[in-house]
Amino acid sequence: MLEGFIINRKLSFLCAGQVLCALKNGAKNVTEIIEETGLGQANVSKHLKILTQAGIVQRQPQGVSVYYQIIARSQPYQKDDFVR
């Protein structure tokens, strides 16, 4: 049981990392992130919500789309920034 939980947490962390890598060169919408990462829409949306709530990513509505970008920080992000 615990092993399954740990594997799921590691996979979740990897997916969040993929989303962040997709955003490293600037703001993108969900469709662009899906195309770049190959992750499903529900997975991308879930991780964007977590990253936004953690203060790592910000949402920017533009017309009918919402763009996401990494929030600049003076200190590097830590693993604990992604774990809730």
Side-chain angles (χ1 to χ4, degrees), residues 11-12 15-16 18-19 39-49:
L11 289 174
S12 183
C15 291
Q18 286 181 281
V19 170
L39 298 171
Q41 185 272 325
N43 208 2
V44 169
S45 294
K46 177 181 102 174
H47 289 291
L48 286 169
K49 180 179 178 182

Side-chain angles (χ1 to χ4, degrees), residues 4-19:
F5 174 78
I6 292 170
I7 290 170
N8 284 338
R9 294 297 282 183
K10 287 182 179 180
L11 289 174
S12 183
F13 186 73
L14 288 173
C15 291
Q18 286 181 281
V19 170

